[in-house]
Amino acid sequence: MSGGSSGPGARAAAEREEFNAFFPQIVRDLTEDGLGHPEVGDAVARLKQVLEYNAPGGKCNRGMTVVAAFRRLAGPGQQDPERLRCALAVGWCIELFQAFFLVADDIMDASLTRRGQLCWYKKEGIGLDAINDAFLLESSVYRVLKKYCGQQPYYLHLLELFLQTGYQTELGQTLDLITAPISQVDLSRFSEQRYKAIVKYKTAFYSFYLPVAAAMYMAGINGKEEHENAKAILLEMGEFFQIQDDFLDCYGDPALTGKVGTDIQDNKCSWLVVECLRRVTPEQRQILEENYGCKEPEKVAKVKELYNALGMEAAFRDYEESSYRRLQELIGKHAQRLPRDIFLDLAQKIYKRQK
C-alpha cells in the first residue's frame, strides 16, 4: 500500500471522524422533543448543556471499540447503514455511561480538571447540582438504547449488560472509596489483591468487556462460552490499562493526559503505592506513612522521591512488557472462536500510550 491516505493512521482518523460526527444526532435524539416543552423545556436545555460539556472531548476509545468490533464480528450481510447507525448509537451510550461515572467521580475525588478543561462541578454556578446532572447522563444511556435498539432481538441482552456493568462499576468505586478514605491513611489496606479487585470492577468491566460484549450481542453472538472467553482477555487488558493510568497519574505529562494527577494527595490505592509497599525498608515505609494522602506539595514531592529511589519507572516498564506477553498468550488461548484482530487492535491502542 502506498500513499498516506489509506494507512492505519488515516483509517483511525476516519473512524474517529465518523464517530464524532454522530454525536450531534445523539444530542438531538435526547433533547429535540423536550426543548420547547412548556413544563420541562428548561430542564432539557440544561440536559443539552450537560451532554455537550461532558460527553465529547475524550479519546472515545470505548465507544469506537463498539463500532470497530461490530465491523469485525458482523457478516457482510449485517453491515447495512441502519445496523451501523445502531453500533454508533451504542458506542455513544458507553461514552454517556463514562460521562455519568466521571462527573460523579470528579466530585468524590475533588478533582480540578478533566480532559483538559475544568471539571463540570467546578464550573461557575454548577457545584453539587452536578450530582443530578450525572443522573441525567445515566438516564440518557437507556433512552438512546431504547430508541435505536428497542425493536432489535438483542435489546434485552444489551439492557442487562449495561445494568450489570453499572452495578459492577459502582461496586468497584465503593471498594476504592472504602479502601482509601480521604484523610484517613492506612497503608495496611493497600494489598495487591484489593488493588486488583478495585481495578477489575471499577474499570475493566465497563472500559473493556462492555464495548466488545455489546458488539458481540449486536452481531448475534450470545453464547456463554464466547462471552467468557472474551471476558478473560478483556479483563486482563483492563488491568493493564489501569496500571498504566496509575503510572501516568504520577509520571505522565499533563499536557498530554489532559489532567493533573492527584492519586498521592487523594490517598488512592494506586499500583505505584502497592508496588512501593512491596519494596520499602521499614524506614522508607515510615516516609510513606508520614507523607502519603497529604495535600501539601512538599509531602507529595517526598512520595515521588521515594518512588524514584525505588525505581518505580523501571518497575512499570517491566510490568508493561510481561503483561503484554501475557495478553498475547491469553489471546492465543481464548480467541479461537472470535477474530483475534479485535483484541490485537485494542492492545495496540493502549500499549505504550502516553495519555
Side-chain angles (χ1 to χ4, degrees):
M1 262 197 312
S2 63
S5 61
S6 53
R11 191 166 60 247
E15 285 171 8
R16 181 172 302 278
E17 178 73 28
E18 171 194 42
F19 188 73
N20 286 329
F22 199 69
F23 181 63
Q25 180 58 48
I26 295 289
V27 176
R28 280 195 296 275
D29 293 330
L30 288 166
T31 60
E32 214 165 31
D33 293 348
L35 270 179
H37 192 281
E39 291 168 321
V40 296
D42 290 350
V44 175
R46 165 68 167 230
L47 168 61
K48 187 171 193 286
Q49 250 187 314
V50 172
L51 289 166
E52 288 174 343
Y53 191 87
N54 295 291
K59 296 185 289 290
C60 292
N61 284 341
R62 294 166 185 83
M64 285 165 59
T65 295
V66 177
V67 184
F70 178 74
R71 283 197 164 111
R72 293 230 186 250
L73 290 166
Q78 287 178 294
Q79 303 210 20
D80 53 279
E82 197 44 49
R83 284 197 176 99
L84 280 167
R85 276 172 69 79
C86 284
L88 284 164
V90 172
W92 273 108
C93 283
I94 298 184
E95 292 299 319
L96 294 171
F97 210 41
Q98 154 94 332
F100 150 56
F101 293 137
L102 297 185
V103 168
D105 197 46
D106 285 341
I107 300 169
M108 288 179 260
D109 288 348
S111 298
L112 301 175
T113 60
R114 163 78 62 188
R115 296 171 171 172
Q117 60 180 11
L118 265 186
C119 293
W120 177 242
Y121 83 100
K122 277 285 181 194
K123 277 185 70 68
E124 185 74 34
I126 305 293
L128 293 184
D129 293 3
I131 296 169
N132 192 63
D133 296 331
F135 298 160
L136 284 172
L137 287 164
E138 186 190 22
S139 298
S140 298
V141 170
Y142 297 101
R143 292 180 61 220
V144 172
L145 218 46
K146 182 166 195 270
K147 178 177 170 66
Y148 284 86
C149 311
Q151 300 306 308
Q152 300 297 331
Y154 54 75
Y155 178 53
L156 186 59
H157 282 302
L158 283 189
L159 203 48
E160 292 187 334
L161 176 66
F162 272 90
L163 289 166
Q164 174 68 4
T165 306
Y167 176 56
Q168 287 164 326
T169 307
E170 286 150 17
L171 284 178
Q173 176 70 350
T174 304
L175 282 176
D176 195 14
L177 294 168
I178 63 179
T179 305
I182 306 257
S183 77
Q184 214 187 321
V185 181
D186 178 1
L187 298 178
S188 63
R189 299 181 196 185
F190 293 171
S191 66
E192 187 179 9
Q193 191 183 9
R194 172 54 62 96
Y195 175 77
K196 288 191 168 191
I198 293 171
V199 167
K200 176 178 172 180
Y201 284 86
K202 185 181 171 179
T203 301
F205 278 112
Y206 96 90
S207 299
F208 289 86
Y209 178 61
L210 173 61
V212 176
M216 286 167 71
Y217 285 130
M218 293 178 85
I221 302 167
N222 42 31
K224 195 171 185 325
E225 192 191 342
E226 282 98 330
H227 277 267
E228 288 306 316
N229 281 333
K231 196 182 289 177
I233 298 166
L234 294 159
L235 292 182
E236 170 70 30
M237 219 179 272
E239 184 181 291
F240 172 48
F241 176 84
Q242 185 57 51
I243 289 174
Q244 210 178 23
D245 216 53
D246 289 356
F247 175 76
L248 291 171
D249 185 273
C250 182
Y251 289 97
D253 176 358
L256 288 174
T257 61
K259 55 190 174 188
V260 178
T262 57
D263 284 357
I264 295 171
Q265 297 92 310
D266 292 342
N267 186 31
K268 282 286 169 178
C269 181
S270 146
W271 182 81
L272 290 167
V273 77
V274 170
E275 277 300 301
C276 186
L277 285 165
R278 287 171 52 172
R279 294 153 197 258
V280 287
T281 64
E283 296 77 25
Q284 288 172 322
R285 190 185 172 102
Q286 194 56 41
I287 295 173
L288 209 52
E289 298 272 5
E290 289 164 9
N291 296 284
Y292 201 74
C294 300
K295 296 273 178 269
E296 296 86 346
E298 58 279 11
K299 292 192 171 186
V300 175
K302 281 203 170 130
V303 175
K304 289 190 178 182
E305 269 169 43
L306 185 56
Y307 286 172
N308 292 334
L310 291 166
M312 297 314 298
E313 200 159 351
F316 171 71
R317 297 295 165 212
D318 289 347
Y319 166 78
E320 193 172 30
E321 293 300 331
S322 67
S323 174
Y324 197 68
R325 279 198 300 277
R326 192 160 61 249
L327 209 49
Q328 301 298 332
E329 283 164 24
L330 280 170
I331 291 171
K333 184 176 157 194
H334 290 287
Q336 271 106 356
R337 296 170 66 175
L338 292 164
R340 286 178 189 203
D341 286 352
I342 291 175
F343 306 108
L344 294 170
D345 288 355
L346 256 181
Q348 231 150 13
K349 262 186 194 152
I350 62 171
Y351 187 60
K352 304 262 191 209
R353 73 190 172 105
Q354 288 184 296
K355 63 176 187 174

